[in-house]
Amino acid sequence: MMKNKKGQCQLCEREGVETTIHHLTPREEGGSFLPTANLCIPCHKQIHAIYSNKELANRLMTLERLKDDEEIKKFLKWIKKQPPEVLIKTKKAKNRKSKLRR
């Protein structure tokens, strides 16, 4: 198992956070060899809690598009104020839960 690195999150831009590799286009949607980003664990979890892989592949496949999306903007405003060692509990978005049940 590869150990997570400490560095800067490319989404929230916090320094000294543990980062993981996020496939900007999910692997399940053909993104295995496409660009990736180093994201802190809270940002990575939040993205996958809010958006489906299809939505990430079709609409949010760049850091710029993610940062401009209204849903994640609220989270980014909050997480930027948190210390690097904070790990948060992530809940699936209400609208995402209902999509998954269909």
Side-chain angles (χ1 to χ4, degrees), residues 8-75:
Q8 182 182 33
C9 175
Q10 290 181 274
L11 193 58
C12 71
E13 300 172 357
R14 293 183 305 149
E15 296 277 356
V17 292
E18 207 173 306
T19 62
T20 59
I21 294 172
H22 169 67
H23 288 81
L24 292 166
T25 300
R27 288 177 292 197
E28 294 83 0
E29 299 295 327
S32 292
F33 301 106
L34 295 176
T36 60
N38 290 322
L39 303 183
C40 65
I41 294 167
C43 282
H44 202 169
K45 284 184 176 182
Q46 189 70 17
I47 287 170
H48 288 289
I50 297 174
Y51 310 109
S52 69
N53 282 344
K54 283 233 180 289
E55 196 171 7
L56 289 169
N58 294 331
R59 193 171 68 83
L60 300 166
M61 73 297 275
T62 67
L63 281 170
E64 292 75 26
R65 286 185 176 196
L66 276 168
K67 287 179 182 182
D68 284 342
D69 190 76
E70 288 306 315
E71 287 291 317
I72 203 77
K73 268 185 183 177
K74 296 174 220 166
F75 173 79

